[in-house]
Amino acid sequence: MTIVVGHPTRTHDRSAVSLGAMLARSLSTDLLVVSVVPAQWPTLVAGNVDREYAAWAHEVGAAAVADAERVLAEVAGDLEARAVAVPGRSVPAALLEQARSVDAGLVVVGSAADGPWERVALGSTADHLLHSAHVPVAVAPRGFATHAVPRFTRATCAFRADRASAEVLRRTTEICASAGAAVRIATFGVLGKTMYPPEVRGEQDVLASFVEQAEAALREAAAATGLREVDHVVATGPDWASAVGRLEWRHDDVLVLGSSPRGVLARVFIGSHASRIIRHSPVPVVVVPES
Amino acid sequence: MSADTGTGSTLGQQLVRRKPIKLQSGPHDGPDLKRSFGTFQLMMFGVGATVGTGIFFVLQEAVPDSGPAVIISFLVAGLGAGLSALCYAEVASAIPVSGSTYSYAYHALGELVAVVIAACVLLEYGVSSAAVAVGWSGYFNELLDNVFGFSLPDALSYSPIPYEDNTTGLINLPAVVLVMMCMVLLIRGASESARVNTVMVLIKLGVLLMFVVIGLTAWNGDHFDGFWDKGAAGISAAAGTIFFSFIGLDAVSTAGEEVRDPQKALPRAIMGALAVVVTVYVLVAIAGLAAQPASEFSDPEQQDAGLAVILENVTGHAAWGTVLAAGAVISIFSVTLVTLYGQTRILFAIGRDGMLPERFSSVNPRTLTPTFNTIVVAIVVALIGGFVPADYLWDTVSIGTLMAFIVVAVGVIVLRRTQPDLERPFRVPLFPFVPILTVAVCIYILSGLAGVTWLIFGSWLLVVLAFYFLWGRRHAALNRGVVADTEVPQS
């Protein structure tokens, strides 16, 4: 299963290629680094006026491929990897097209250029991919580099105690077993907004019962994995940042989440809990489409 | 070739310096990107790109000038377009990585000529987008009126600038809306697929054929009396206006790289496309004249949606006119999209050469399109389409195109002298007779254009030259020696 990496043109963001290399090494597979350049019209235009535009796109593509090859030489010298530039009308659509053509098992992209350093920030390409990809999508935190992280050693699977979540956990467990990585299961809970003036203190009780339920569900899920040692944890806080921050993270972790079924609901879900968890993740995130 | 990089060059040297001819394998080398056409396919592209730019509107402009001899004007304009296309094909094959007459001129004739041509090409594409949008607006209103019994008030359908005794209003709103719609499509990266292109060609040819058949049923030979009454001046004036409707034939000329055996395929495709287009145009003109006397073409009622109105007059009911208007509305939409696209990409090329601010050649990484450039073009074109009557626009487009074609023909001769060893997959037959005849025919057609057209052209040229001398000259990419490609080795 090849890993397709989206490498932006005209930037020097190496994070996606770095993450792609780390995952490819862990999963013993090869890499295809793809840069998407503007496409020429398929029909002839009078006067051939888009020649320069096409030539420029070609130059940009060639520069992006050279750049990707430089980064690959540094971070993926031990892997089978190649870089290509393909024309497209939209970056996510072209990446998925490539993923289909090489039957890729994963698409890797970087974070938005204006996101905070060492955090995952969903740019328009990543966001679009999360809502339409048929394969898992990995997003690298801004500035992610693999120099110190040749492989991931643990996957933290965000767990929601439903069937879809259990399926994501099952797949994560399988992949981790073949990659020789540990599995940790985590459920995140956030304290609801309290009333003002704070006459009623119900939210704290609600959260406490949520934690209780979640821990029971996690124990069950951990047992179901069939692995002997599965770490599981409920992380809570007054907001998502502190809930995610409360977990202990290692530099060779990845966070795995499921994305809801596609369509309007997916937008709602991705737009609420999952995207908040993603936004505060200090480690690479892999979003698995739930079947 | 000796291209001065411009660093420390005098103004004189800068004006005549040429952009080195790049040697490159073409813009794409991916297997799925190489477009490859056969002669017939290329011919149909030429027909598709040409038919529809002007024929839906041009009779009402040209017949009042020439009378029934408009048929001769069509032949003259067609001759000019065909000859130009042959010259264009040689230059395009010799400099395969360039697009538009502007960049050919920069490679072959130097910076100053390129700037002059840039002015012409901006008229050719920008103003023709506006002119076509105005024409579309007329057919759109006709369609609304026929189908829903409602049309926009004059204030929202006509420009405020008067032309002879035509209706005036505040703004031509449909033209503005059309341009804005095309802008959104282009920003989103829409492109015309081969299938859409084919469908559009069929629609255009279908409705025109319908017009011809119905027009001929109302045959009245008396309408052709006084064929020569308007004389040679009338014929050349009409040819000048009509020339506009032959724009697009160069879609064939510039495909040298993409056809098998260009030396054979190109002239065949050009001549084939021209034969089809001229036949269709002449038939439309004959059918129009058969259906009504020449004097009626200037009727204000036919000011817009002319062909549809003729059909309604001939048949006595609106159905046929509605079909024609619907065909025109659909197909002219795509013409506007293509010409706007062309305009943005030419500005992109000029921006890359440093003669326009860099923003014109910047591409939005999210949409993968030159967004700023597209918005500027659309706003300018929408303003022209919304506030200037089409009557001023057709001839302005023609003058820009004719000037550009003259330069291309001269470019053929100049390139043969300055760079005899340059590889030319296609060579103009009967050199130097064809390029010289091209220039002569173009000059003859130019001679028929009205004084106001020359005034508009002259003023515009001055604006562009002023911009070049004040800004572009200092920022040209050649000043920095920015030429990313190797020169063609001279054997």
Side-chain angles (χ1 to χ4, degrees), chain B residues 85-435:
Chain B
L86 285 175
C87 297
Y88 205 161
E90 172 166 334
V91 178
S93 77
I95 312 172
V97 288
S98 289
S100 88
T101 32
Y102 152 76
S103 45
Y104 295 124
Y106 205 169
H107 285 295
L109 302 167
E111 195 162 293
L112 181 64
V113 181
V115 170
V116 172
I117 288 301
C120 297
V121 173
L122 293 179
L123 286 183
E124 180 182 345
Y125 282 85
V127 178
S128 90
S129 304
V132 172
V134 173
W136 181 86
S137 160
Y139 279 97
F140 176 73
N141 251 334
E142 183 73 13
L143 190 64
L144 276 186
D145 197 17
N146 288 359
V147 177
F148 302 108
F150 154 85
S151 60
L152 287 171
D154 286 356
L156 298 180
S157 311
Y158 295 103
S159 78
I161 300 174
Y163 179 83
E164 291 175 359
D165 52 359
N166 286 350
T167 323
T168 53
L170 287 175
I171 182 173
N172 190 330
L173 193 61
V176 173
V177 171
L178 171 69
V179 172
M180 288 297 149
M181 281 196 297
C182 289
M183 175 187 86
V184 171
L185 283 174
L186 288 176
I187 286 176
R188 291 176 54 95
S191 62
E192 193 182 48
S193 67
R195 184 175 304 164
V196 170
N197 180 285
T198 309
V199 170
M200 293 299 167
V201 177
L202 292 176
I203 290 176
K204 285 187 273 200
L205 291 177
V207 294
L208 289 173
L209 199 64
M210 180 186 80
F211 176 83
V212 170
V213 170
I214 296 174
L216 291 179
T217 58
W219 179 269
N220 181 344
D222 297 347
H223 295 168
F224 294 89
D225 291 345
F227 194 87
W228 302 106
D229 284 1
K230 300 276 187 178
I235 289 174
S236 63
T241 307
I242 286 169
F243 194 80
F244 163 82
S245 59
F246 283 94
I247 290 172
L249 202 65
D250 44 355
V252 183
S253 315
T254 46
E257 240 203 340
E258 284 143 329
V259 286
R260 301 175 279 277
D261 191 8
Q263 188 63 41
K264 279 205 181 93
L266 279 184
R268 283 178 190 169
I270 290 170
M271 290 306 151
L274 188 65
V276 173
V277 171
V278 168
T279 306
V280 171
Y281 284 7
V282 168
L283 282 174
V284 169
I286 290 174
L289 283 162
Q292 65 176 29
S295 56
E296 278 185 32
F297 282 87
S298 50
D299 185 349
E301 177 201 30
Q302 297 187 16
Q303 181 187 338
D304 32 40
L307 298 191
V309 173
I310 293 176
L311 278 192
E312 284 160 30
N313 293 346
V314 167
T315 57
H317 53 85
W320 297 109
T322 307
V323 172
L324 189 133
V329 163
I330 295 167
S331 59
I332 297 170
F333 181 101
S334 82
V335 173
T336 314
L337 186 76
V338 173
T339 44
L340 266 181
Y341 171 79
Q343 179 67 95
T344 59
R345 296 315 185 258
I346 290 169
L347 286 174
F348 181 89
I350 299 173
R352 289 265 290 161
D353 289 339
M355 312 263 221
L356 275 175
E358 207 173 308
R359 295 195 66 180
F360 282 90
S361 56
S362 65
V363 170
N364 181 317
R366 207 166 66 78
T367 60
L368 297 179
T369 53
T371 309
F372 171 81
N373 173 339
T374 309
I375 291 171
V376 170
V377 167
I379 288 173
V380 172
V381 169
L383 286 174
I384 298 172
F387 296 102
V388 183
D391 312 78
Y392 291 110
L393 301 179
W394 311 131
D395 289 7
T396 310
V397 176
S398 288
I399 200 172
T401 314
L402 284 160
M403 289 287 184
F405 282 166
I406 287 175
V407 170
V408 168
V410 171
V412 169
I413 299 168
V414 170
L415 267 183
R416 289 260 186 133
R417 289 184 65 90
T418 56
Q419 298 208 53
D421 302 328
L422 198 62
E423 194 193 336
R424 293 170 173 79
F426 175 75
R427 300 173 81 90
V428 163
L430 305 176
F431 182 86
F433 173 72
V434 167

